[in-house]
Amino acid sequence: MADLADRTSIVDQDENIELEALRALQYEGTRAEIALGFKERGNEMVAQKRWKDAKEFYSKGIAALKQPRQDGEEKHIREGGAENVEKEKEKERKVEEACHVNRALCNLELRTSFQSHINSDQRRLRLRFYAENYRSTLHDTAHTLSLSPSNIKGHYRSALALLALNRHAESLDIVSRALALTSPILKSTNISARPSPEHTSFLALRSRILASQTTFNAAAQKRLGREERAKKERVVLNAALHARGVRVRMTDKPPELEDAEIRLKPDPLSPASELHFPLLLLYPIHAQSDFLKSVGETSTIADICATVLAEPMEWDKEGEY
C-alpha cells in the first residue's frame, strides 16, 4: 500500500508539473521562452542549494518543451523562414539539455547521510530512495548526452551516479570518453599544453572509481568466501546429524535465539568435531528457566546441572534444586 501511495504521489506530481507548464505557455511566451524562465529559476534555487525546488523548476522547463505549440506560435516561427525555425529548434534543444543536466545534479544532491538510530526498514527505504535518485540521474544524463554527446557535465554526473551504484566498468567507460573529449592534445598543437580543470577532475574521478572498484571486488570476494564456507559447514553439519540419528524440525517462526545454533566444535568442517546445541532448562515448581547457548553432546544432565546450579538461585529459597 505504501508503494502504491508513493507511485500515486509521483504521478500526481508529474501531472501538476505538466499542468503548470501548460498554463505558463498560455500567458508568457513560446515554449523555449517559458522553459528558459523555469531553467533560470532552477539555477537560482541551485545557488541556494534548494535542490528539491530546483529539480521541480527544471522538470517544469522540460514539461513546457513537451507541450504542443499554442495558436499562432508555430505560424509566427515559420513566418521567419527556415533559418528562424532552425534557430527556435536550437534554442529549445539547448534549454532542454541544460534542464536535464541540471536536474541530474539535483538528483545527485538529494540525499542525506545515514543516521545511526534508524531501523532496518528505514535503512532499506533510504537505500531504495538513493537508488531511484541515481537512476533518475542516469536517465537525465543519458538524455543530455543524446542531445549533446560532448556535454562534460553530463559525462561527469553520469559517472558519479554509476559509481554510487557500484557499476564501475560503466563508470570508467564514461570517464574514458570524457578524458578523450577534454584532452589538451585535442585542443592544442602544443604537446606540452597543460590539462584543463575538467580533464584534471576526470583523472581524479578515475582514480576514485578504481579505488572503489578494488574495495568493492575485495569485499565481494570475502563475501563469496564466507558464503562458500557456510555452505560447506551446513553440508558437514547435516552429515554429522544424520550419522548421530538426530532429527531437526524446522519452523517458519523460529524463536529469538540470538547467536545460539547447532554447530560442530572446534572445527565446523570436521565431522569428528563435537556437536553443540542450545539447551533450555525448565524448573516447573518455580516457573523458572535457564537458556544455555551451547552444550556439548558428551555433557550429561548431571554435568550441566552441576555447572548451572553451582551457586544458589535467588528463587530457590528452600534449596530444592
Side-chain angles (χ1 to χ4, degrees):
M1 288 297 291
D3 289 346
L4 180 59
D6 290 342
R7 286 196 293 271
T8 302
S9 175
I10 292 170
V11 170
D12 290 342
Q13 184 179 2
D14 289 343
E15 289 177 350
N16 290 337
I17 287 172
E18 291 180 5
L19 182 60
E20 188 163 342
L22 183 58
R23 285 173 178 166
L25 282 171
Q26 292 175 342
Y27 302 109
E28 299 176 21
T30 66
R31 293 193 310 193
E33 290 168 346
I34 299 305
L36 181 61
F38 283 133
K39 189 208 81 168
E40 289 174 348
R41 289 296 307 279
N43 291 351
E44 292 172 8
M45 296 298 102
V46 166
Q48 300 174 40
K49 296 187 177 182
R50 293 167 57 181
W51 306 112
K52 188 175 180 180
D53 293 333
K55 178 181 176 180
E56 187 173 340
F57 279 118
Y58 293 133
S59 296
K60 288 176 182 177
I62 293 167
L65 293 170
K66 293 179 180 178
Q67 300 301 322
R69 297 188 190 280
Q70 298 300 299
D71 295 340
E73 182 184 351
E74 188 74 37
K75 182 181 178 182
H76 174 73
I77 292 171
R78 293 194 178 280
E79 282 177 350
E83 185 178 350
N84 192 51
V85 171
E86 289 305 313
K87 281 184 179 179
E88 189 67 20
K89 286 182 179 178
E90 179 63 11
K91 190 186 297 183
E92 290 186 355
R93 186 197 66 77
K94 286 184 176 180
V95 176
E96 185 178 6
E97 176 188 347
C99 284
H100 275 289
V101 77
N102 290 347
R103 190 169 69 174
L105 171 65
C106 296
N107 280 316
L108 282 174
E109 295 291 345
L110 275 173
R111 61 191 191 276
T112 54
S113 59
F114 280 118
Q115 298 176 18
S116 59
H117 64 270
I118 65 176
N119 61 40
S120 58
D121 288 338
Q122 291 172 320
R123 194 175 295 273
R124 281 192 292 271
L125 287 172
R126 187 74 59 82
L127 283 171
R128 188 170 66 180
F129 172 74
Y130 289 167
E132 286 297 329
N133 269 14
Y134 292 132
R135 281 192 284 269
S136 295
T137 299
L138 293 176
H139 170 79
D140 278 322
T141 53
H143 203 98
T144 299
L145 296 175
S146 71
L147 293 169
S148 176
S150 61
N151 188 295
I152 298 304
K153 291 180 181 178
H155 282 81
Y156 194 82
R157 289 163 191 172
S158 178
L160 283 177
L162 289 166
L163 170 59
L165 294 169
N166 291 319
R167 292 163 60 177
H168 298 98
E170 295 169 84
S171 187
L172 286 170
D173 180 62
I174 291 287
V175 168
S176 296
R177 280 184 271 166
L179 287 171
L181 287 170
T182 59
S183 172
I185 297 176
L186 295 178
K187 299 182 178 182
S188 173
T189 55
N190 182 6
I191 302 300
S192 63
R194 296 181 63 183
S196 65
E198 292 87 357
H199 193 79
T200 302
S201 294
F202 278 107
L203 288 173
L205 180 56
R206 183 175 64 181
S207 298
R208 182 177 161 191
I209 295 168
L210 289 171
S212 175
Q213 186 179 44
T214 299
T215 302
F216 180 82
N217 289 342
Q221 195 63 35
K222 285 183 179 180
R223 184 173 62 253
L224 182 62
R226 289 194 300 269
E227 290 172 354
E228 286 294 325
R229 180 178 174 86
K231 184 178 179 181
K232 290 178 182 178
E233 288 182 6
R234 286 195 298 271
V235 170
V236 174
L237 177 61
N238 288 335
L241 291 170
H242 180 75
R244 292 163 171 78
V246 177
R247 297 174 61 186
V248 178
R249 187 168 59 185
M250 308 302 291
T251 176
D252 294 333
K253 297 180 180 180
E256 178 54 55
L257 300 178
E258 297 180 357
D259 58 344
E261 60 181 353
I262 302 174
R263 62 183 297 119
L264 291 167
K265 292 184 179 182
D267 182 7
L269 295 177
S270 172
S273 292
E274 185 180 26
L275 186 66
H276 282 244
F277 49 88
L279 180 67
L280 180 65
L281 294 176
L282 300 177
Y283 311 104
I285 296 176
H286 297 279
Q288 298 290 330
S289 65
D290 272 319
F291 178 68
L292 308 181
K293 289 186 176 182
S294 181
V295 175
E297 62 183 321
T298 58
S299 301
T300 65
I301 291 295
D303 295 333
I304 296 167
C305 289
T307 300
V308 173
L309 302 174
E311 297 291 333
M313 301 292 186
E314 292 183 5
W315 44 263
D316 187 19
K317 304 296 184 182
E318 298 180 7
E320 294 176 289
Y321 288 97

